[in-house]
Amino acid sequence: MASSSRSWRYNVFPSFHGPDVRVTFMSHLKKQFQHNGIIAFNDEGIERSKLIGTELIRAIRESRISIVVLSKNYGSSSWCLNELVEIFKCQESAGQIVMTVFYKVDPCHVRKQMGEFGKTFKETCEGKTETQVHKWIHALTHVANIAGEHSVNWFVLVFYP
């Protein structure tokens, strides 16, 4: 079904590694969403496991836009990686828009699974099937090729008393 002809439960599905960005970047982004009347899926209260629960899959599928906030430990979470695979399924099947933010991580490191990002990703892949690892690599390469915002380009103004 074309994305323009359906109704969406959420305007935005944010995909992120909580310990890296929940109380910093994401808290500010969520406040802006609320301020601007943007309905974003809120993952608080969802029980974490190795598999994405049906509630989370439903939220991804019912979102018009997914914003993937890539951080240095995003690849350390099979939960995040499985979300990412599902996001790209929705992009292909429902025309979901995917936007990226590279938060304190080099897009090249995500694309090629190298550096600190690559190290934690490789640890996550240990003991996983070749099929699962291939899906994650494909999704990471794809997401890193989407032009997005990179935190090193943000201007931060600091006032000293």
Side-chain angles (χ1 to χ4, degrees):
M1 178 181 287
S3 62
S4 60
S5 66
R6 69 180 282 180
S7 63
W8 304 92
R9 182 173 179 191
Y10 303 103
N11 300 117
V12 174
F13 179 87
S15 177
F16 60 94
H17 185 255
D20 285 352
V21 298
R22 185 180 303 277
V23 297
T24 55
F25 179 75
M26 284 308 301
S27 65
H28 296 289
L29 188 60
K30 285 181 180 184
K31 283 181 189 174
Q32 280 304 126
F33 287 157
Q34 290 173 343
H35 177 75
N36 291 307
I38 296 169
I39 301 167
F41 175 75
N42 187 344
D43 71 342
E44 292 175 25
I46 291 182
E47 185 178 336
R48 299 294 192 246
S49 67
K50 293 188 189 250
L51 299 174
I52 296 179
T54 56
E55 182 179 355
L56 193 58
I57 290 173
R58 188 176 331 111
I60 293 169
R61 291 176 180 170
E62 294 177 349
S63 297
R64 174 71 182 108
I65 299 167
S66 282
I67 297 178
V68 182
V69 182
L70 295 145
S71 57
K72 95 176 162 178
N73 291 307
Y74 188 94
S76 72
S77 168
S78 58
W79 179 277
C80 289
L81 295 166
N82 289 332
E83 273 183 9
L84 190 59
V85 169
E86 185 63 31
I87 286 167
F88 284 118
K89 285 180 188 175
C90 291
Q91 182 188 43
E92 190 170 308
S93 67
Q96 186 179 85
I97 296 167
V98 180
M99 301 171 73
T100 57
V101 175
F102 298 94
Y103 186 79
K104 299 183 179 180
V105 67
D106 187 325
C108 184
H109 289 182
V110 176
R111 184 178 305 108
K112 297 180 180 180
Q113 298 87 52
M114 56 190 268
E116 187 69 28
F117 184 92
K119 179 183 174 194
T120 58
F121 174 69
K122 284 179 181 70
E123 290 170 2
T124 306
C125 292
E126 290 176 9
K128 303 297 188 284
T129 66
E130 187 176 327
T131 302
Q132 184 63 57
V133 172
H134 179 72
K135 286 179 185 179
W136 290 345
I137 290 171
H138 179 74
L140 288 170
T141 303
H142 187 82
V143 77
N145 284 326
I146 297 172
E149 292 294 324
H150 193 323
S151 64
V152 298
N153 297 327
W154 299 341
F155 177 76
V156 179
L157 182 59
V158 179
F159 292 97
Y160 294 97

